[in-house]
DNA sequence: CGATGTTCGCGGGCAACTAG
DNA sequence: CTAGTTGCCCGCGAACATCG
């Protein structure tokens, strides 16, 4: 098991934020996710669920098999305080289908995209600061697969899910894929271990693993080596409910549980929960984008015939002739190309020396990516937030994080003259001093700007000098 | 929702001008 | 000479747009 070495430890900063909102102690630090097959939703059950999630501080709760239309759920008389309901079902034929998501109000406003498929899949995309995105995929698969039609439908649902995961991966989103899969991992594993062919239905597990998603409960309980924990208690007890999450989330997971809450809510499934440290996801420390240092110079290899020994050149020609005999002039253009790539290039690399050639990326065009410019933009961004009432409140709440970053920024640009300003020393900020804060931000801005323009000036001069030098060299060569 | 980019109108600052 | 007027430029922020 590979885990990246990001050992995020709870720190003082976040504890302070907790104190700020003293409602639930850990709420701000951990985000809790749960999923339950409700086995037909009723008004009574819904109220019980709300009661339960409020008590346990669950942020996002997935419910499967509601068997109720969106309208019916809308008119349930339930105390929804603090949460929003997003339900989805096939409104013509709601039986045996229906998924629903209960999401905390302060997370709900981060939603920027909702997709609903076949009354069985509910996809919700959330966006957070710093280009962090999270995709929730809640799904409830067909329960029976006795007929070939059912099997095909089941596979169809699976492919939908896989497609959406693929899309999310390509957009670098974190993924939580959870729900009642109605498929047993155990069966997949057995087939795989015995090197038997895997039924199409079960291939979804293969895909999930290929996408580097983790079955959080399997890993937490170490089910591969110990006894399996069941999630469904019917004629046979089986494990068919899962929460699969992307690697980054998995590394930040603190707890994962399979719980029996059947004495509170009547259903034949267990409740699955897990929580993760949300520090870098939902309440991040503000940062501007990091510079991509690896791409600063493009290194290309160029063959250097002039400096290659004569002997090697002769060998090269001999080998080339030998290889050329295998060339198929009737082949397609792709075949010819791959022939060239695999054979000729190989021979060339064997005999001919090559030198490294560094391609400089034009700095003038990439000035927007230098740290100084980013910092400059950051000040503008911060100043704007200060001036707006709503965003000011947000800043006030998270001031310690902003303050920390601002201090970093000042230090990074070694703006000594700014170091002792009022703004940087405050642990709390007051709305009555906004004018003062903006003034000080302007000071920082001015200092940064003068540095920036100096930088640009130097850069420009360098380029001019470069151009002149080059011309001189050309001139000398020509004479 | 958040990040980023773009457009556009407003007002301050400044210079040139003008009326008293 | 001075106080007020006009016109212009520029920077800023609000608002809008776009993407994911």
């Amino acid at each position: 098991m590979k885990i990246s070495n990001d050992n995020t430890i709870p720190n003082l900063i976040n504890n302070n934020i907790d104190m700020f909102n003293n409602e639930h102690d850990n709420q701000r630090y951990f985000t809790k996710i749960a999923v339950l097959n409700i086995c037909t939703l009723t008004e009574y059950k819904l109220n019980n669920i709300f009661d339960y999630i409020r008590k346990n501080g669950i942020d996002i709760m997935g419910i499967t098999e509601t068997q109720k239309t969106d309208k019916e759920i809308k008119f349930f008389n339930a105390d929804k305080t603090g949460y929003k309901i997003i339900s989805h079902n096939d409104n013509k034929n709601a039986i045996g289908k229906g998924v629903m998501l209960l999401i905390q109000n302060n997370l709900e406003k981060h939603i920027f995209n909702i997709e609903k498929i076949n009354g069985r899949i509910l996809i919700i995309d959330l966006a957070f600061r710093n280009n962090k995105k999270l995709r929730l995929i809640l799904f409830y698969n067909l329960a029976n697969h006795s007929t070939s039609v059912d099997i095909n439908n089941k596979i169809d649902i699976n492919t939908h899910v896989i497609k959406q995961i693929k899309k999310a991966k390509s957009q670098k989103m974190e993924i939580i894929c959870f729900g009642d899969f109605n498929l047993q991992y155990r069966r997949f594993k057995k087939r795989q271990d015995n090197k038997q062919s895997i039924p199409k239905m079960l291939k979804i597990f293969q895909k999930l693993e290929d996408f580097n998603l983790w079955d959080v409960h399997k890993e937490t309980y170490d089910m591969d080596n110990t006894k399996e924990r069941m999630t469904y208690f019917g004629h046979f007890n089986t494990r068919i409910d899962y929460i699969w999450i992307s690697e980054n989330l998995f590394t930040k997971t603190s707890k994962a549980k399979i719980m029996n809450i059947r004495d509170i809510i009547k259903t034949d499934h267990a409740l699955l929960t897990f929580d993760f440290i949300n520090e870098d996801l939902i309440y991040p420390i503000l940062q501007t984008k990091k510079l991509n240092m690896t791409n600063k110079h493009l290194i290309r290899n160029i063959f250097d015939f002039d400096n290659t020994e004569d002997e090697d050149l002769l060998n090269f020609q001999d080998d080339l002739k030998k290889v050329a005999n295998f060339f198929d002039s009737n082949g397609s253009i792709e075949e010819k190309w791959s022939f060239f790539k695999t054979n000729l290039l190989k021979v060339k690399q064997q005999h001919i020396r090559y030198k490294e050639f560094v391609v400089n990326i034009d700095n003038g065009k990439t000035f927007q990516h230098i740290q100084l410019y980013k910092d400059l933009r950051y000040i503008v961004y911060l100043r704007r937030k200060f001036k707006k009432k709503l965003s000011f409140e947000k800043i006030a709440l998270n001031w310690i994080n902003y303050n920390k970053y601002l201090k970093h920024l000042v230090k990074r640009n070694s703006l000594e003259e700014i170091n002792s300003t009022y703004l940087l020393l405050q642990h709390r900020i007051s709305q009555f001093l906004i004018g003062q804060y903006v003034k000080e931000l302007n000071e920082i801005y001015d200092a940064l700007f003068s540095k920036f323009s100096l930088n640009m000036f130097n850069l420009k001069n360098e380029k001019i000098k470069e151009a002149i030098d080059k011309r001189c060299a050309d001139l000398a060569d020509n004479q």
Side-chain angles (χ1 to χ4, degrees):
Chain A
M1 199 198 292
K2 239 179 160 180
I3 294 177
S4 68
N5 51 358
D6 179 11
N7 306 315
T8 325
I9 306 164
N11 55 29
L12 276 171
I13 292 163
N14 286 285
N15 288 341
N16 284 341
I17 292 171
D18 287 343
M19 278 153 63
F20 229 94
N21 307 269
N22 45 12
E23 270 195 20
H24 291 290
D25 267 354
N26 290 322
Q27 185 110 6
R28 283 209 149 239
Y29 198 65
F30 293 105
T31 299
K32 287 193 187 179
I33 315 280
V35 63
L36 175 70
N37 183 313
I38 194 66
C39 208
T40 312
L41 187 73
T42 62
E43 201 174 279
Y44 178 71
K45 280 184 186 177
L46 186 61
N47 273 311
N48 271 352
I49 290 169
F50 270 125
D51 212 39
Y52 182 83
I53 61 179
R54 261 195 291 271
K55 263 185 202 151
N56 291 280
I58 288 166
D59 296 284
I60 297 167
M61 172 103 193
I63 309 276
T64 58
E65 204 181 338
T66 60
Q67 306 215 47
K68 289 281 190 290
T69 61
D70 296 351
K71 230 179 185 172
E72 283 173 298
I73 291 170
K74 201 178 160 191
F75 290 108
F76 274 153
N77 180 21
D79 174 21
K80 299 169 198 160
T81 12
Y83 290 86
K84 287 265 159 49
I85 297 180
I86 300 163
S87 67
H88 169 54
N89 204 340
D90 182 346
N91 286 331
K92 280 171 198 155
N93 183 13
I95 303 303
K97 295 178 192 165
V99 284
M100 176 173 95
L101 209 77
L102 311 178
I103 184 162
Q104 235 205 359
N105 278 343
N106 63 353
L107 283 175
E108 191 260 344
K109 58 189 173 188
H110 288 263
I111 295 172
F112 70 96
N113 183 29
I114 298 177
E115 278 176 56
K116 299 168 176 180
I117 303 167
N118 293 346
R120 295 191 175 275
I121 305 177
L122 181 58
I123 289 156
I124 293 188
D125 293 348
L126 300 110
F128 302 102
R129 277 203 207 114
N130 268 2
N131 273 332
K132 305 268 181 186
K133 293 191 190 74
L134 175 65
R135 168 164 280 187
L136 304 170
I137 303 172
L138 176 66
F139 93 112
Y140 172 55
N141 217 331
L142 280 84
N144 296 313
H145 43 264
S146 41
T147 68
S148 64
V149 179
D150 286 342
I151 290 177
N152 282 335
N153 280 341
K154 215 162 172 171
I155 293 166
D156 191 43
I157 296 289
N158 284 350
T159 48
H160 270 121
V161 171
I162 294 298
K163 221 168 99 189
Q164 294 295 337
I165 292 174
K166 205 173 171 181
K167 223 168 145 189
K169 272 272 168 187
S170 73
Q171 289 169 19
K172 299 204 168 98
M173 298 166 106
E174 298 300 328
I175 300 161
I176 299 174
C177 178
F178 57 159
D180 184 349
F181 288 39
N182 268 321
L183 293 164
Q184 294 190 55
Y185 182 83
R186 186 165 53 95
R187 295 206 168 159
F188 161 74
K189 178 91 170 132
K190 203 172 160 192
R191 291 264 188 167
Q192 199 187 39
D193 286 349
N194 295 337
K195 298 204 165 101
Q196 290 170 302
S197 72
I198 294 157
K200 267 191 177 173
M201 261 186 329
L202 293 172
K203 278 200 172 155
I204 186 171
F205 292 115
Q206 177 84 59
K207 291 276 185 188
L208 288 169
E209 284 181 350
D210 288 350
F211 279 124
N212 205 11
L213 298 192
W214 298 74
D215 181 341
V216 66
H217 294 97
K218 178 167 79 78
E219 302 303 338
T220 310
Y221 290 105
D222 195 15
M223 287 188 207
D224 284 350
N225 301 314
T226 61
K227 211 179 110 225
E228 199 179 18
R229 310 275 165 144
M230 301 309 176
T231 67
Y232 171 69
F233 311 96
H235 191 56
F236 298 105
N237 294 353
T238 51
R239 179 166 175 263
I240 51 175
D241 301 87
Y242 304 89
I243 299 181
W244 288 76
I245 56 176
S246 49
E247 195 200 18
N248 282 344
L249 285 176
F250 183 66
T251 59
K252 300 203 169 193
T253 298
S254 77
K255 266 179 261 159
K257 281 183 184 166
I258 295 174
M259 273 187 289
N260 178 2
I261 55 158
R262 277 170 289 160
D263 48 344
I264 308 169
I265 297 158
K266 194 177 167 284
T267 171
D268 47 12
H269 283 255
L271 176 82
L272 279 76
T273 66
F274 93 99
D275 58 7
F276 61 90
I277 298 164
N278 58 32
E279 186 193 41
D280 224 6
L281 186 72
I282 294 167
Y283 304 106
I285 293 162
L286 247 165
Q287 265 179 14
T288 45
K289 266 184 201 161
K290 279 188 189 119
L291 265 171
N292 190 353
M293 299 303 279
T294 51
N295 269 345
K296 212 171 176 186
H297 295 298
L298 223 64
I299 294 172
R300 294 222 169 116
N301 290 326
I302 289 186
F303 290 104
D304 189 359
F305 284 91
D306 291 347
N307 287 324
T308 306
E309 311 279 330
D310 289 345
E311 204 186 319
D312 283 335
L313 275 173
L314 286 175
N315 285 338
F316 168 63
Q317 280 176 359
D318 284 350
D319 280 3
L320 210 58
K321 275 175 197 159
K322 275 182 213 157
V323 171
N325 288 332
F326 295 102
F327 183 69
D328 178 12
S329 58
N330 296 323
S332 70
I333 187 84
E334 286 84 7
E335 280 165 348
K336 283 176 183 167
W337 174 244
S338 81
F339 177 84
F340 169 77
K341 248 178 128 175
T342 50
N343 298 318
L344 300 187
L345 213 61
K346 216 183 269 170
V347 176
K348 210 171 170 183
Q349 276 165 354
Q350 267 169 19
H351 299 292
I352 310 296
R353 286 191 186 171
Y354 55 87
K355 56 183 175 188
E356 279 188 351
F357 183 75
V358 180
V359 183
N360 270 316
I361 293 171
D362 193 310
N363 281 327
K365 278 178 188 165
T366 56
F367 82 94
Q368 292 188 332
H369 300 291
I370 65 171
Q371 189 64 52
L372 194 57
Y373 179 76
K374 292 265 169 192
D375 289 350
L376 208 64
R377 296 298 306 171
Y378 181 80
I379 298 293
V380 174
Y381 160 79
L382 204 62
R383 185 176 51 193
R384 188 186 289 188
K385 294 232 156 184
F386 262 108
K387 287 183 183 175
K388 282 190 182 175
K389 203 188 164 197
L390 245 166
S391 34
F392 176 79
E393 281 162 12
K394 269 189 195 169
I395 290 186
L397 210 63
N398 270 322
W399 177 241
I400 290 170
N401 283 341
Y402 284 90
N403 181 270
K404 199 175 154 196
Y405 186 72
L406 202 60
K407 274 183 187 161
H408 267 294
L409 193 151
V410 168
K411 209 173 164 191
R412 178 164 56 221
N413 293 298
S414 49
L415 307 173
E416 287 83 4
E417 69 271 25
I418 305 292
N419 227 348
S420 59
T421 55
Y422 192 58
L423 186 60
L424 288 167
L425 299 172
Q426 291 303 302
H427 293 293
R428 294 266 178 104
I429 51 173
S430 149
Q431 57 167 320
F432 301 107
L433 293 169
I434 289 180
Q436 174 68 20
Y437 300 146
V438 172
K439 210 175 126 195
E440 292 189 6
L441 279 177
N442 275 333
E443 242 173 73
I444 297 176
Y445 181 86
D446 287 345
L448 274 178
F449 187 74
S450 62
K451 276 207 172 198
F452 179 70
S453 43
L454 186 71
N455 226 329
M456 285 300 104
F457 179 74
N458 288 338
L459 217 75
K460 219 171 162 183
N461 272 359
E462 255 171 50
K463 281 194 135 190
I464 291 168
K465 212 181 147 211
E466 232 171 67
I468 291 171
D469 285 352
K470 209 187 160 200
R471 282 204 168 186
C472 288
D474 284 352
L475 220 64
D477 282 349
N478 287 340
Q479 278 172 358

